[in-house]
Amino acid sequence: MSKTCPKCGEDLPDDAHFCGNCGYDFFKKDTASKSNSGFDGKIFLAIIVIVAIIVVGIFFAIGSGGNNSTNDNADVSEVDLTITEVNGYTSSSANPQSYSLYTQALFNKVPSDLKGYNVRTTYLDANGTEIGFETETLSNIYYDSDYSLSFGYYTTYKKPNPDHVTVEIIKDGKTIDNFTQKIDQGKIKFLN
């Protein structure tokens, strides 16, 4: 068997380390070849690492989006209340006379951080037409109590005839839950 010099084409014995014609070093070629192969391997490894970083970044970006919507769903259960009654009063000393409505509720569950939470209390008549509403921050309404808290004070100069109330829990501008209660008109003095 013989091998051929890649530089000049001379036929050489298999165990030749150098080409007798041009001086080509067979070991240097193998070292260079291994070096190039190592370099190519490093480039290939670098490409794999970059692609992996991009894929992981996309995964976390998509995962974060999913977690936000999960958190939005979790917000729904962070506020729970029971409307206990809707009451009202008049200001008989004022001219013209004004009528005020307010809602009382037990807050069964609230988030530890009240930031970004609002409460919109809407009073509606029997036809579902809005009489009026009041929007307040949850932090202004809520304090730790075993008793019903009053909120949603709405005042008008036209005698209202409320049928039901809706209390919306709003987080960062988005309604996450609402509670509706029929109003016992017998409890509102100016209606009797």
Coordinates of all heavy atoms in Angstrom, one line a residue, residues 7-94:
K7 N -0.2 17.5 -1.6 CA 0.4 18.7 -2.1 C 0.9 18.6 -3.5 O 0.6 19.4 -4.4 CB 1.5 19.3 -1.2 CG 1.9 20.6 -1.5 CD 2.9 21.2 -0.5 CE 3.3 22.6 -0.8 NZ 4.2 23.1 0.2
C8 N 1.7 17.5 -3.8 CA 2.3 17.3 -5.1 C 1.9 16.1 -5.8 O 2.2 15.9 -7.0 CB 3.9 17.4 -5.0 SG 4.5 15.9 -4.1
G9 N 1.2 15.1 -5.2 CA 0.7 13.9 -5.9 C 1.7 12.8 -5.9 O 1.4 11.8 -6.6
E10 N 2.8 12.9 -5.3 CA 3.9 11.9 -5.2 C 3.3 10.7 -4.5 O 2.7 10.8 -3.4 CB 5.1 12.4 -4.5 CG 6.3 11.5 -4.5 CD 7.1 11.4 -5.8 OE1 7.0 12.3 -6.6 OE2 7.7 10.4 -6.0
D11 N 3.6 9.4 -5.0 CA 3.3 8.2 -4.3 C 4.3 7.9 -3.3 O 5.5 7.9 -3.6 CB 3.2 7.0 -5.3 CG 1.9 7.1 -6.1 OD1 0.9 7.6 -5.6 OD2 1.9 6.6 -7.3
L12 N 3.9 7.6 -2.0 CA 4.8 7.4 -0.9 C 4.4 6.2 -0.2 O 3.2 5.8 -0.2 CB 4.8 8.6 0.0 CG 5.1 10.0 -0.6 CD1 4.7 11.1 0.4 CD2 6.6 10.1 -0.9
P13 N 5.3 5.6 0.6 CA 4.9 4.4 1.4 C 4.0 4.9 2.5 O 3.9 6.0 3.0 CB 6.3 3.9 2.0 CG 7.3 4.9 1.6 CD 6.7 5.9 0.7
D14 N 3.2 3.9 3.0 CA 2.2 4.2 4.0 C 2.7 4.8 5.3 O 2.1 5.6 6.0 CB 1.4 2.9 4.4 CG 0.3 2.6 3.4 OD1 -0.1 3.5 2.6 OD2 -0.1 1.4 3.3
D15 N 3.9 4.4 5.7 CA 4.5 4.9 6.9 C 5.3 6.2 6.8 O 6.0 6.6 7.7 CB 5.4 3.8 7.6 CG 6.5 3.4 6.7 OD1 6.5 3.8 5.5 OD2 7.4 2.7 7.2
A16 N 5.2 6.9 5.6 CA 6.0 8.1 5.4 C 5.4 9.2 6.2 O 4.2 9.4 6.4 CB 5.9 8.5 3.9
H17 N 6.3 10.0 6.9 CA 5.9 11.1 7.7 C 6.0 12.4 6.9 O 5.3 13.4 7.2 CB 6.8 11.3 8.9 CG 6.5 10.1 9.9 ND1 5.5 10.1 10.7 CD2 7.3 9.0 10.1 CE1 5.5 9.0 11.4 NE2 6.6 8.3 11.1
F18 N 6.9 12.4 5.9 CA 7.1 13.6 5.0 C 7.1 13.1 3.6 O 7.5 12.0 3.3 CB 8.5 14.2 5.3 CG 8.6 14.8 6.7 CD1 9.2 14.0 7.7 CD2 8.1 16.0 7.1 CE1 9.3 14.5 9.0 CE2 8.2 16.5 8.3 CZ 8.8 15.7 9.3
C19 N 6.8 14.0 2.7 CA 6.8 13.8 1.3 C 8.3 14.0 0.9 O 8.9 15.1 1.1 CB 5.9 14.7 0.5 SG 6.1 14.5 -1.3
G20 N 8.9 13.0 0.2 CA 10.3 13.1 -0.2 C 10.5 14.1 -1.3 O 11.5 14.6 -1.6
N21 N 9.4 14.4 -2.1 CA 9.4 15.3 -3.2 C 9.3 16.8 -2.8 O 10.1 17.6 -3.2 CB 8.4 14.9 -4.2 CG 8.5 15.7 -5.5 OD1 9.6 16.0 -6.0 ND2 7.3 16.0 -6.1
C22 N 8.2 17.1 -2.0 CA 7.9 18.5 -1.7 C 8.1 18.8 -0.2 O 8.1 20.0 0.2 CB 6.5 18.9 -2.1 SG 5.2 18.1 -1.2
G23 N 8.3 17.8 0.7 CA 8.5 18.0 2.1 C 7.2 18.2 2.9 O 7.2 18.6 4.0
Y24 N 6.1 17.8 2.3 CA 4.8 17.9 3.0 C 4.8 17.1 4.3 O 5.3 16.0 4.3 CB 3.7 17.5 2.1 CG 2.3 17.6 2.7 CD1 1.6 18.8 2.8 CD2 1.7 16.4 3.2 CE1 0.4 18.8 3.4 CE2 0.5 16.5 3.9 CZ -0.2 17.7 3.9 OH -1.4 17.8 4.5
D25 N 4.4 17.7 5.4 CA 4.4 17.0 6.7 C 3.0 16.5 6.9 O 2.1 17.2 7.1 CB 4.8 18.0 7.8 CG 4.9 17.4 9.1 OD1 4.6 16.2 9.3 OD2 5.3 18.1 10.1
F26 N 2.9 15.1 6.9 CA 1.6 14.5 7.1 C 1.1 14.7 8.5 O -0.1 14.8 8.7 CB 1.7 13.0 6.8 CG 1.8 12.7 5.3 CD1 3.0 12.5 4.6 CD2 0.6 12.6 4.5 CE1 3.0 12.2 3.3 CE2 0.7 12.3 3.2 CZ 1.9 12.1 2.6
F27 N 1.9 14.8 9.5 CA 1.5 15.0 10.9 C 0.9 16.4 11.0 O -0.1 16.7 11.8 CB 2.6 14.8 11.9 CG 2.9 13.3 12.0 CD1 4.1 12.8 11.7 CD2 1.9 12.4 12.5 CE1 4.4 11.5 11.8 CE2 2.2 11.1 12.6 CZ 3.5 10.6 12.3
K28 N 1.6 17.4 10.4 CA 1.1 18.8 10.5 C -0.3 18.9 9.9 O -1.2 19.6 10.4 CB 2.1 19.7 9.7 CG 2.0 21.1 10.1 CD 3.1 21.9 9.5 CE 3.4 23.1 10.3 NZ 4.5 23.9 9.7
K29 N -0.5 18.2 8.8 CA -1.8 18.2 8.2 C -2.9 17.7 9.1 O -4.0 18.3 9.3 CB -1.8 17.4 6.9 CG -3.2 17.4 6.2 CD -3.3 16.4 5.1 CE -4.7 16.3 4.6 NZ -5.5 15.2 5.0
D30 N -2.6 16.5 9.8 CA -3.6 16.0 10.7 C -3.8 16.9 11.9 O -5.0 17.0 12.3 CB -3.0 14.6 11.2 CG -3.1 13.6 10.1 OD1 -3.8 13.8 9.1 OD2 -2.4 12.5 10.3
T31 N -2.8 17.5 12.4 CA -2.9 18.5 13.5 C -3.8 19.7 13.0 O -4.7 20.1 13.7 CB -1.5 19.0 13.9 OG1 -0.7 17.9 14.3 CG2 -1.7 19.9 15.1
A32 N -3.5 20.2 11.8 CA -4.3 21.3 11.3 C -5.7 20.8 11.1 O -6.7 21.6 11.4 CB -3.7 21.8 10.0
S33 N -5.9 19.6 10.6 CA -7.2 19.1 10.4 C -8.0 19.0 11.7 O -9.1 19.3 11.8 CB -7.1 17.8 9.7 OG -8.3 17.1 9.7
K34 N -7.2 18.5 12.7 CA -7.9 18.3 14.0 C -8.2 19.7 14.6 O -9.2 19.9 15.2 CB -7.0 17.6 15.0 CG -6.9 16.1 14.7 CD -6.0 15.4 15.7 CE -5.8 13.9 15.3 NZ -4.8 13.3 16.1
S35 N -7.3 20.6 14.4 CA -7.5 22.0 14.9 C -8.7 22.6 14.2 O -9.6 23.2 14.9 CB -6.3 22.8 14.6 OG -6.5 24.2 14.9
N36 N -8.8 22.5 12.9 CA -10.0 23.0 12.2 C -11.3 22.3 12.7 O -12.3 22.9 12.9 CB -9.9 22.8 10.7 CG -8.9 23.9 10.1 OD1 -8.6 24.9 10.8 ND2 -8.4 23.6 8.9
S37 N -11.2 21.0 12.9 CA -12.3 20.2 13.3 C -12.7 20.7 14.7 O -13.9 20.9 15.0 CB -12.0 18.8 13.3 OG -12.6 18.1 14.3
G38 N -11.8 21.0 15.6 CA -12.1 21.5 16.9 C -12.7 22.9 16.8 O -13.6 23.2 17.6
F39 N -12.2 23.7 15.9 CA -12.7 25.0 15.8 C -14.2 24.9 15.3 O -15.0 25.6 15.8 CB -11.8 25.8 14.8 CG -12.3 27.2 14.5 CD1 -12.2 28.2 15.5 CD2 -12.9 27.6 13.3 CE1 -12.6 29.5 15.3 CE2 -13.4 28.8 13.1 CZ -13.2 29.8 14.1
D40 N -14.4 24.1 14.3 CA -15.8 23.9 13.8 C -16.7 23.4 14.9 O -17.8 23.8 15.0 CB -15.8 22.9 12.6 CG -15.1 23.5 11.4 OD1 -15.0 24.7 11.3 OD2 -14.7 22.7 10.5
G41 N -16.1 22.5 15.8 CA -16.9 22.0 16.9 C -17.3 23.1 17.9 O -18.4 23.1 18.4
K42 N -16.3 24.0 18.1 CA -16.6 25.1 19.0 C -17.7 26.1 18.4 O -18.6 26.5 19.1 CB -15.3 25.9 19.3 CG -14.4 25.2 20.2 CD -13.1 26.0 20.4 CE -12.1 25.2 21.2 NZ -10.8 25.9 21.3
I43 N -17.6 26.3 17.1 CA -18.6 27.1 16.4 C -20.0 26.4 16.5 O -21.0 27.0 16.9 CB -18.3 27.4 15.0 CG1 -17.1 28.3 14.9 CG2 -19.5 28.0 14.2 CD1 -16.6 28.6 13.5
F44 N -20.0 25.1 16.3 CA -21.2 24.4 16.3 C -21.8 24.4 17.8 O -23.0 24.6 18.0 CB -21.0 22.9 15.9 CG -22.2 22.1 15.9 CD1 -23.2 22.2 15.0 CD2 -22.4 21.1 16.9 CE1 -24.3 21.5 15.0 CE2 -23.5 20.3 16.9 CZ -24.5 20.5 15.9
L45 N -20.9 24.3 18.8 CA -21.4 24.3 20.2 C -21.9 25.7 20.5 O -22.9 25.8 21.2 CB -20.2 23.9 21.1 CG -20.5 23.9 22.6 CD1 -21.6 22.9 22.9 CD2 -19.3 23.6 23.4
A46 N -21.2 26.7 20.0 CA -21.7 28.1 20.3 C -23.1 28.4 19.7 O -23.9 29.0 20.3 CB -20.7 29.1 19.7
I47 N -23.3 27.8 18.5 CA -24.6 28.0 17.8 C -25.7 27.3 18.6 O -26.8 27.8 18.8 CB -24.5 27.5 16.3 CG1 -23.7 28.4 15.5 CG2 -25.9 27.3 15.7 CD1 -23.4 27.9 14.1
I48 N -25.4 26.1 19.1 CA -26.4 25.3 19.9 C -26.7 26.1 21.1 O -27.9 26.2 21.5 CB -25.8 23.9 20.2 CG1 -25.8 23.1 19.0 CG2 -26.7 23.3 21.3 CD1 -25.2 21.7 19.1
V49 N -25.7 26.7 21.8 CA -25.9 27.4 23.0 C -26.8 28.7 22.7 O -27.7 29.0 23.5 CB -24.6 27.9 23.7 CG1 -24.8 28.9 24.8 CG2 -23.9 26.6 24.2
I50 N -26.5 29.4 21.7 CA -27.3 30.6 21.3 C -28.7 30.2 21.0 O -29.7 30.8 21.5 CB -26.6 31.3 20.1 CG1 -25.3 32.0 20.6 CG2 -27.6 32.4 19.5 CD1 -24.5 32.5 19.4
V51 N -28.9 29.1 20.2 CA -30.3 28.7 19.9 C -31.0 28.3 21.2 O -32.2 28.6 21.4 CB -30.3 27.5 18.9 CG1 -31.6 26.9 18.8 CG2 -29.8 28.0 17.5
A52 N -30.3 27.6 22.1 CA -30.9 27.2 23.4 C -31.3 28.4 24.2 O -32.4 28.4 24.8 CB -30.0 26.3 24.2
I53 N -30.5 29.4 24.2 CA -30.8 30.6 25.0 C -32.1 31.3 24.4 O -33.0 31.7 25.1 CB -29.6 31.6 25.0 CG1 -28.5 31.0 25.9 CG2 -30.1 33.0 25.5 CD1 -27.2 31.8 25.8
I54 N -32.1 31.4 23.1 CA -33.3 32.0 22.4 C -34.6 31.2 22.7 O -35.6 31.7 23.0 CB -33.1 32.1 20.9 CG1 -32.0 33.1 20.6 CG2 -34.3 32.4 20.1 CD1 -31.5 33.2 19.2
V55 N -34.5 29.8 22.6 CA -35.6 29.0 22.9 C -36.1 29.2 24.3 O -37.3 29.3 24.6 CB -35.3 27.5 22.6 CG1 -36.4 26.6 23.1 CG2 -35.2 27.3 21.1
V56 N -35.1 29.2 25.3 CA -35.5 29.4 26.7 C -36.1 30.7 26.9 O -37.1 30.9 27.6 CB -34.3 29.2 27.6 CG1 -34.5 29.6 29.0 CG2 -33.8 27.7 27.6
G57 N -35.6 31.8 26.3 CA -36.2 33.1 26.3 C -37.6 33.2 25.8 O -38.5 33.8 26.5
I58 N -37.8 32.5 24.7 CA -39.2 32.5 24.2 C -40.1 31.7 25.1 O -41.2 32.2 25.4 CB -39.2 31.9 22.8 CG1 -38.5 32.8 21.8 CG2 -40.6 31.5 22.3 CD1 -38.3 32.2 20.4
F59 N -39.6 30.6 25.6 CA -40.4 29.8 26.6 C -40.8 30.6 27.8 O -42.0 30.6 28.2 CB -39.6 28.6 27.0 CG -40.3 27.8 28.0 CD1 -41.4 26.9 27.7 CD2 -39.9 27.8 29.4 CE1 -42.0 26.2 28.7 CE2 -40.6 27.0 30.3 CZ -41.6 26.2 30.0
F60 N -39.9 31.4 28.4 CA -40.2 32.2 29.5 C -41.1 33.4 29.2 O -42.0 33.7 30.0 CB -38.9 32.7 30.2 CG -38.3 31.7 31.1 CD1 -37.0 31.3 30.9 CD2 -39.0 31.2 32.2 CE1 -36.4 30.4 31.7 CE2 -38.4 30.2 33.0 CZ -37.1 29.8 32.8
A61 N -40.9 33.9 28.0 CA -41.8 35.0 27.6 C -43.3 34.5 27.4 O -44.2 35.2 27.9 CB -41.3 35.6 26.3
I62 N -43.4 33.4 26.8 CA -44.8 32.8 26.7 C -45.3 32.4 28.0 O -46.4 32.6 28.4 CB -44.7 31.6 25.7 CG1 -44.5 32.1 24.3 CG2 -46.0 30.8 25.7 CD1 -44.2 31.0 23.3
G63 N -44.4 31.8 28.8 CA -44.8 31.3 30.2 C -45.2 32.5 31.0 O -46.2 32.4 31.8
S64 N -44.5 33.6 31.0 CA -44.9 34.8 31.8 C -46.2 35.3 31.4 O -47.0 35.7 32.2 CB -43.8 35.9 31.6 OG -42.6 35.4 32.1
G65 N -46.5 35.3 30.1 CA -47.8 35.7 29.6 C -48.9 34.8 30.2 O -49.9 35.3 30.6
G66 N -48.7 33.5 30.2 CA -49.6 32.6 30.7 C -49.8 32.8 32.2 O -50.9 32.7 32.7
N67 N -48.7 33.1 32.9 CA -48.8 33.3 34.3 C -49.6 34.5 34.6 O -50.3 34.6 35.6 CB -47.4 33.4 35.0 CG -46.7 32.0 35.0 OD1 -47.4 31.0 34.9 ND2 -45.4 32.0 35.2
N68 N -49.5 35.6 33.8 CA -50.3 36.8 34.1 C -51.7 36.5 34.0 O -52.5 37.0 34.8 CB -49.9 37.9 33.1 CG -48.5 38.5 33.5 OD1 -48.1 38.3 34.6 ND2 -47.9 39.2 32.5
S69 N -52.1 35.7 33.0 CA -53.5 35.4 32.9 C -54.0 34.5 34.0 O -55.1 34.7 34.5 CB -53.9 34.8 31.5 OG -53.3 33.5 31.4
T70 N -53.1 33.7 34.5 CA -53.4 32.9 35.6 C -53.6 33.7 36.9 O -54.5 33.6 37.6 CB -52.3 31.8 35.9 OG1 -52.2 31.0 34.7 CG2 -52.6 30.9 37.1
N71 N -52.7 34.8 37.0 CA -52.8 35.7 38.1 C -54.1 36.5 38.0 O -54.7 36.7 39.0 CB -51.6 36.6 38.2 CG -50.4 36.0 38.7 OD1 -50.5 34.9 39.3 ND2 -49.2 36.5 38.4
D72 N -54.5 36.9 36.8 CA -55.8 37.5 36.6 C -56.9 36.7 37.1 O -57.8 37.1 37.8 CB -56.0 37.9 35.2 CG -55.1 39.1 34.7 OD1 -54.5 39.7 35.6 OD2 -55.0 39.3 33.5
N73 N -56.9 35.4 36.8 CA -57.9 34.5 37.3 C -57.8 34.3 38.8 O -58.8 34.2 39.5 CB -57.8 33.1 36.6 CG -58.1 33.2 35.1 OD1 -58.8 34.1 34.7 ND2 -57.6 32.3 34.4
A74 N -56.6 34.4 39.3 CA -56.5 34.2 40.8 C -57.1 35.5 41.5 O -57.6 35.4 42.6 CB -55.0 34.1 41.1
D75 N -57.0 36.7 40.8 CA -57.5 37.9 41.4 C -59.0 37.7 41.7 O -59.6 38.3 42.6 CB -57.3 39.1 40.5 CG -55.9 39.5 40.4 OD1 -55.1 39.1 41.3 OD2 -55.5 40.2 39.4
V76 N -59.7 37.0 40.8 CA -61.2 36.8 40.9 C -61.5 36.3 42.3 O -62.5 36.7 43.0 CB -61.7 35.9 39.9 CG1 -63.2 35.6 40.1 CG2 -61.5 36.5 38.5
S77 N -60.7 35.4 42.8 CA -61.0 34.8 44.2 C -60.3 35.6 45.3 O -60.5 35.2 46.4 CB -60.6 33.3 44.2 OG -59.2 33.3 44.0
E78 N -59.6 36.7 45.0 CA -58.9 37.4 46.1 C -59.9 38.3 46.8 O -59.6 38.8 47.9 CB -57.8 38.2 45.5 CG -56.6 37.3 45.1 CD -55.4 38.1 44.8 OE1 -55.3 39.3 45.0 OE2 -54.5 37.5 44.1
V79 N -61.0 38.7 46.2 CA -62.0 39.6 46.9 C -63.3 38.8 46.9 O -63.8 38.4 45.9 CB -62.1 40.9 46.2 CG1 -63.2 41.7 46.9 CG2 -60.8 41.7 46.1
D80 N -63.8 38.6 48.1 CA -65.1 38.0 48.3 C -65.9 38.8 49.3 O -65.4 39.2 50.4 CB -65.0 36.6 48.8 CG -66.3 35.9 48.9 OD1 -67.2 36.1 48.0 OD2 -66.5 35.1 49.8
L81 N -67.1 39.1 48.9 CA -68.0 39.9 49.9 C -69.4 39.4 49.8 O -69.8 38.8 48.9 CB -67.9 41.4 49.6 CG -68.3 41.9 48.2 CD1 -69.8 42.2 48.2 CD2 -67.5 43.2 47.8
T82 N -70.1 39.8 50.9 CA -71.5 39.4 51.0 C -72.3 40.8 51.2 O -72.0 41.4 52.2 CB -71.8 38.5 52.1 OG1 -71.0 37.3 51.9 CG2 -73.3 38.1 52.2
I83 N -73.1 41.2 50.3 CA -73.9 42.4 50.5 C -75.0 42.1 51.5 O -75.8 41.2 51.4 CB -74.6 42.8 49.2 CG1 -73.5 43.1 48.1 CG2 -75.5 44.0 49.4 CD1 -74.0 43.3 46.7
T84 N -75.0 42.8 52.6 CA -75.9 42.6 53.7 C -77.2 43.4 53.5 O -78.2 43.0 53.9 CB -75.2 42.9 55.1 OG1 -74.7 44.2 55.1 CG2 -74.1 41.9 55.3
E85 N -77.0 44.7 53.1 CA -78.2 45.5 52.8 C -77.8 46.8 52.1 O -76.7 47.2 52.0 CB -79.0 45.8 54.1 CG -78.3 46.8 55.0 CD -79.1 47.1 56.3 OE1 -80.3 47.4 56.1 OE2 -78.5 47.0 57.4
V86 N -78.9 47.4 51.5 CA -78.8 48.7 50.9 C -79.7 49.6 51.7 O -80.8 49.2 52.0 CB -79.1 48.7 49.4 CG1 -79.2 50.1 48.9 CG2 -78.2 47.9 48.6
N87 N -79.2 50.7 52.1 CA -80.0 51.6 52.9 C -80.0 53.0 52.3 O -79.2 53.3 51.4 CB -79.4 51.7 54.4 CG -80.5 51.8 55.4 OD1 -81.5 52.5 55.2 ND2 -80.3 51.2 56.6
G88 N -80.8 53.9 52.9 CA -80.8 55.3 52.3 C -81.3 56.2 53.4 O -81.9 55.8 54.4
Y89 N -81.1 57.5 53.1 CA -81.6 58.6 54.0 C -81.8 59.8 53.2 O -81.3 60.0 52.1 CB -80.6 58.8 55.2 CG -79.2 59.2 54.7 CD1 -78.8 60.5 54.5 CD2 -78.2 58.2 54.5 CE1 -77.5 60.8 54.1 CE2 -76.9 58.5 54.1 CZ -76.6 59.8 53.9 OH -75.3 60.2 53.5
T90 N -82.5 60.8 53.8 CA -82.7 62.1 53.2 C -82.1 63.2 54.1 O -81.9 63.0 55.2 CB -84.2 62.4 53.1 OG1 -84.8 62.4 54.4 CG2 -84.9 61.3 52.2
S91 N -81.8 64.3 53.4 CA -81.4 65.4 54.2 C -82.6 66.4 54.2 O -82.8 67.2 53.3 CB -80.2 66.1 53.5 OG -80.5 66.5 52.2
S92 N -83.4 66.3 55.2 CA -84.6 67.0 55.3 C -84.4 68.5 55.6 O -85.2 69.3 55.3 CB -85.5 66.5 56.5 OG -84.8 66.4 57.7
S93 N -83.2 68.9 56.1 CA -82.9 70.3 56.3 C -82.5 71.0 55.1 O -82.5 72.2 55.0 CB -81.8 70.4 57.4 OG -80.6 69.8 57.0
A94 N -82.0 70.3 54.1 CA -81.5 70.9 52.9 C -82.7 71.3 51.9 O -83.7 70.6 51.9 CB -80.5 70.0 52.2

